[in-house]
Amino acid sequence: SLSKKYSFIFFFVFYVLLILAPILEIYYRPQIYFYNPVIVYFPGTMYDEAIAITWKMISYRFITIMFMIFVIWSALKIRKFSMTKKIIYLISLFAAIFLFFGLKPILGFSSSESILYKALGKKYSTKHFEIIYPASLSEKKIKYIAFEHEYYFKEISKLLKWQPERKITSYIFKSREQKRKLFGAGNADVAKPWMNMIFLNYSDINQTLKHELAHLFSAHFGVSPLKLSAGFNPALLEGFAVAVENNFDNYNIDYIAKLAYDSDYKYPVKTLFSGFKFYTQTPLISYTYAGSFIKYLMDKYGVSKLEKLYHTLNFNGIYNKSLRKLSDDYYTYLKSIHIVDNKYKAQLYFGTVPIFKKFCLRYAANQINDARSKYNKGLFSDAMKSFKKVYYYSNSFPALMGYMNSLIKLNRNKKALVLLKQNIGKYSHSAYLFSLELKLGDIFVRDNKISSADSVYNILLNQNPSKRYESITKLRLSLTDKILKKYVLGSPFDKYEIILKFVKNNSLYNLAGVMIELSKYLQQNYSDFISKFANENRNRFKLSANDFFNLSVYSAENGDYSTALNFAKLSVKYLQNDASTGAYTENLNLIKWIRKRSQLMKKVK
């Protein structure tokens, strides 16, 4: 309608602008999801598998369709208009589009800083941070979180010999669902270096805060307006943050890399840094090798050269060695590390399927969510049918677990037992094997086959994939038949009471973490809980270093820094695994640092 001669060019430019519009939102607004006329909706990262069809999505599509119908109708009307009127029409059209773009936060199709602040509700200011957090968090908990922010800021500044001049804004969301709705990327914490912002789930702060802060520090030597790694190379981007963090499930990153390497979970470093092949592997494998390799370069050649690498991705020019030669040197270093191998621990960490290799990823995730909704409403028969349908076309582990749990709720224990026996072999090399073995033992208990249950529990105990599995299987094997069945069938309160009675006469070894989880779930008073341990010596409960560590973190979260410091000292004193020294020592140093400065922080606004 505007010009027959240039119609294709007009169309092409307009279409490209529509597709690229989300870049402006992601760059200028504190969000990573977007609504778009062509794509409709993107949740933020690939790690959010399910994309539900919501009324908001439908209303957005309705608005865009109505608008485009109007555009087509008016375009037909202006064919006979003068060029001046056509230009006025075009300007008006784009003005309407920009107006809608500006109104998207008000309409709920975008997020602004004011919207996030209004939804979360509170702000805590420190020397280097503005922390926006949900009003449901207590003053003691947000104060501890603020201390963590400042401590890691200090530690990273010391390592990199640089610190951001502007205050960092840290958004903390009370749940993954709230974060998914307001920010996107419900399952992954994210940093925006160009905005000097980080976005965290409250439940993940202890595991991800230092990592996300490292991303912000890397902006100092990042490239492009986004201040990311050269070539947007994901292995360099994430590897740098993992190297600075140097903590994976309370193990140092080299230990985890060595564990992967010795257990045949290998992936060539030189390939990892090639384009976007970082995403073709299981995330933990990619993150582990990238982080361990970058830490090797940082330790051997210094931080300044690593900063130049981050800015240029020129291995030859900076290290006078090719990436291949550097990776060979790294493997030589990795082979020199001596650890006690546990192939089952490696299987737990690395035995998952890369997201791009999952079958019918989005469809299966949506169907599983629908089945879970039925399950949560008590519609167990309908949920069972839905889970069954998904499982038999996708072999999805969540679908299998949902299928079994639905059968159990329907008192069809024998059917659940047959189902699990027939399918557990499919997961023999998977990270999910251990959950299924535990479930198998518990179903045997439900079916009054205690000896069979004990056999399965003993297999799991011998595999010993983690401290948690070790403790919960030891507990089950130590309970009498009657109490064991009550434990397996019981509510969280029943389980807590059984554990509490058990540990009065037995070892609590590695059970503190489980007790803390149950106590939080039951919303028990902190003082009542911690009093059970604070005045007891180690010989009474035979606490492990891991128990002391968990109790230390729990005490610190509740503002009890004296008790937290005592537990932190004991966690280091009784530590037997050198691979965890870094995490336990850092926790001790953190609590010491907090104790000295606990009176200096500002009050909650």
Side-chain angles (χ1 to χ4, degrees):
S1 298
L2 291 169
S3 169
K4 189 175 182 179
K5 183 178 180 180
Y6 299 108
S7 60
F8 178 78
I9 294 175
F10 276 127
F11 172 79
F12 180 77
V13 170
F14 184 71
Y15 193 77
V16 169
L17 287 174
L18 284 179
I19 293 176
L20 296 181
I23 293 176
L24 294 175
E25 284 189 285
I26 291 174
Y27 188 81
Y28 288 108
R29 289 176 176 165
Q31 66 187 69
I32 202 166
Y33 76 91
F34 60 80
Y35 286 86
N36 177 264
V38 179
I39 301 169
V40 185
Y41 176 75
F42 179 68
T45 70
M46 68 186 80
Y47 300 114
D48 287 312
E49 298 180 7
I51 302 180
I53 307 299
T54 64
W55 281 110
K56 184 182 289 188
M57 193 184 298
I58 293 170
S59 63
Y60 179 81
R61 175 48 89 206
F62 178 78
I63 290 171
T64 56
I65 289 174
M66 291 298 100
F67 180 73
M68 292 313 300
I69 288 174
F70 169 76
V71 169
I72 294 169
W73 175 82
S74 58
L76 295 173
K77 292 290 185 181
I78 67 167
R79 286 181 182 274
K80 297 178 181 180
F81 287 9
S82 65
M83 184 52 66
T84 302
K85 289 185 177 181
K86 287 182 178 181
I87 292 173
I88 293 173
Y89 166 77
L90 186 63
I91 293 172
S92 301
L93 180 66
F94 276 93
I97 292 173
F98 283 117
L99 177 63
F100 179 72
F101 183 83
L103 292 174
K104 282 180 76 175
I106 298 174
L107 297 172
F109 301 125
S110 186
S111 295
S112 63
E113 292 181 48
S114 61
I115 285 175
L116 292 188
Y117 179 72
K118 184 177 180 180
L120 293 172
K122 283 199 171 184
K123 179 191 292 186
Y124 196 111
S125 297
T126 71
K127 183 178 180 180
H128 299 107
F129 293 91
E130 295 288 350
I131 303 174
I132 315 300
Y133 68 99
S136 57
L137 287 186
S138 68
E139 182 174 347
K140 289 180 179 179
K141 289 185 178 179
I142 191 58
K143 189 174 182 180
Y144 173 65
I145 290 169
F147 276 130
E148 284 187 295
H149 277 68
E150 286 290 343
Y151 177 78
Y152 290 131
F153 184 96
K154 175 185 73 75
E155 290 297 297
I156 299 173
S157 299
K158 187 191 301 183
L159 176 66
L160 302 181
K161 299 177 177 60
W162 176 84
Q163 65 182 43
E165 296 178 359
R166 292 186 297 139
K167 271 194 172 185
I168 294 169
T169 303
S170 175
Y171 288 95
I172 299 171
F173 300 87
K174 66 181 179 182
S175 66
R176 282 174 167 78
E177 190 52 44
Q178 184 189 48
K179 183 160 168 279
R180 183 179 290 111
K181 179 181 178 181
L182 295 172
F183 171 75
N187 292 328
D189 289 347
V190 177
K192 281 193 168 186
W194 63 94
M195 296 186 77
N196 212 33
M197 294 178 177
I198 55 176
F199 305 84
L200 313 168
N201 286 314
Y202 169 67
S203 60
D204 301 329
I205 287 176
N206 291 336
Q207 291 76 42
T208 61
L209 174 58
K210 190 175 182 181
H211 180 101
E212 300 308 329
L213 287 178
H215 281 309
L216 296 192
F217 275 77
S218 69
H220 180 57
F221 35 87
V223 297
S224 81
L226 297 178
K227 299 182 180 181
L228 301 177
S229 56
F232 304 115
N233 187 274
L236 189 54
L237 177 74
E238 295 298 343
F240 175 83
V242 172
V244 171
E245 179 187 22
N246 193 27
N247 185 336
F248 178 96
D249 198 21
N250 293 332
Y251 294 108
N252 67 60
I253 195 61
D254 287 343
Y255 168 82
I256 296 297
K258 174 67 171 178
L259 182 67
Y261 189 84
D262 286 355
S263 303
D264 289 328
Y265 292 99
K266 297 182 175 73
Y267 194 73
V269 167
K270 61 181 182 297
T271 303
L272 197 63
F273 283 81
S274 175
F276 290 89
K277 292 185 178 179
F278 179 88
Y279 295 113
T280 63
Q281 275 297 305
T282 298
L284 291 183
I285 291 178
S286 297
Y287 276 76
T288 294
Y289 281 118
S292 180
F293 178 66
I294 292 297
K295 182 177 177 295
Y296 164 77
L297 296 179
M298 182 166 59
D299 291 344
K300 184 168 184 177
Y301 298 101
V303 170
S304 59
K305 285 193 174 184
L306 181 59
E307 291 176 356
K308 292 177 182 177
L309 178 69
Y310 197 88
H311 190 76
T312 64
L313 196 60
N314 184 356
F315 288 94
N316 270 313
I318 295 166
Y319 297 107
N320 294 318
K321 291 182 179 181
S322 66
L323 175 57
R324 178 185 292 274
K325 181 63 173 70
L326 288 168
S327 64
D328 289 343
D329 292 346
Y330 163 69
Y331 286 128
T332 300
Y333 160 72
L334 203 60
K335 290 173 184 176
S336 71
I337 300 174
H338 298 287
I339 67 170
V340 177
D341 290 342
N342 184 336
K343 67 176 184 178
Y344 297 108
K345 180 181 291 186
Q347 183 173 325
L348 177 67
Y349 288 145
F350 306 112
T352 56
V353 179
I355 197 164
F356 291 117
K357 295 182 181 179
K358 292 185 178 181
F359 187 81
C360 290
L361 175 69
R362 304 290 187 195
Y363 181 73
N366 284 323
Q367 293 294 305
I368 288 170
N369 282 347
D370 179 62
R372 282 174 179 160
S373 177
K374 295 174 183 175
Y375 184 92
N376 292 333
K377 292 176 182 177
L379 304 173
F380 302 122
S381 181
D382 291 341
M384 182 269 293
K385 293 174 184 176
S386 297
F387 281 125
K388 178 180 179 181
K389 177 184 175 183
V390 179
Y391 178 68
Y392 282 119
Y393 75 72
S394 68
N395 284 324
S396 164
F397 167 75
L400 177 59
M401 287 296 284
Y403 186 9
M404 285 190 297
N405 287 333
S406 298
L407 288 170
I408 290 169
K409 287 290 186 181
L410 294 167
N411 293 317
R412 298 174 64 182
N413 293 322
K414 293 188 183 299
K415 172 66 176 176
L417 191 59
V418 171
L419 173 68
L420 184 48
K421 283 182 175 180
Q422 289 176 341
N423 290 276
I424 195 170
K426 297 177 182 178
Y427 299 90
S428 59
H429 300 290
S430 163
Y432 308 124
L433 173 66
F434 314 108
S435 292
L436 293 174
E437 287 177 336
L438 186 65
K439 176 64 73 174
L440 178 59
D442 288 352
I443 296 176
F444 274 130
V445 172
R446 289 174 176 274
D447 203 31
N448 294 313
K449 297 177 179 178
I450 305 300
S451 60
S452 297
D454 285 348
S455 296
V456 175
Y457 294 147
N458 274 303
I459 290 172
L460 184 53
L461 182 61
N462 290 330
Q463 291 167 341
N464 192 21
S466 72
K467 295 181 180 71
R468 180 181 177 83
Y469 279 111
E470 178 187 28
S471 62
I472 58 181
T473 49
K474 276 186 176 179
L475 173 66
R476 283 164 165 78
L477 287 166
S478 301
L479 296 175
T480 64
D481 294 357
K482 183 179 179 180
I483 301 299
L484 174 59
K485 186 163 186 179
K486 184 178 178 182
Y487 179 86
V488 170
L489 297 175
S491 66
F493 178 79
D494 295 330
K495 286 180 168 61
Y496 181 81
E497 288 295 310
I498 289 170
I499 293 176
L500 195 58
K501 290 178 182 177
F502 171 79
V503 299
K504 285 181 178 179
N505 301 308
N506 298 275
S507 168
L508 180 61
Y509 194 77
N510 280 334
L511 272 171
V514 177
M515 292 189 71
I516 289 170
E517 288 176 14
L518 289 169
S519 180
K520 286 180 178 180
Y521 180 84
L522 297 169
Q523 297 182 328
Q524 292 192 331
N525 179 271
Y526 161 76
S527 297
D528 291 342
F529 175 85
I530 210 68
S531 64
K532 297 176 176 64
F533 311 101
N535 299 320
E536 299 286 350
N537 61 41
R538 182 175 184 261
N539 292 329
R540 166 69 189 277
F541 285 137
K542 298 181 182 177
L543 296 169
S544 67
N546 185 55
D547 288 320
F548 284 125
F549 175 81
N550 286 323
L551 290 166
S552 174
V553 173
Y554 187 47
S555 298
E557 287 175 344
N558 285 276
D560 185 0
Y561 301 121
S562 296
T563 302
L565 181 59
N566 290 334
F567 284 139
K569 288 177 179 178
L570 291 169
S571 72
V572 173
K573 179 180 178 180
Y574 293 110
L575 181 64
Q576 296 177 336
N577 189 335
D578 291 339
S580 296
T581 302
Y584 288 18
T585 302
E586 184 168 66
N587 177 63
L588 175 59
N589 292 335
L590 167 64
I591 303 301
K592 286 180 178 178
W593 186 84
I594 291 175
R595 283 260 295 169
K596 291 179 181 179
R597 292 160 177 79
S598 59
Q599 303 303 317
L600 301 179
M601 303 296 288
K602 295 179 181 179
K603 292 182 179 180
V604 178
K605 290 186 176 181

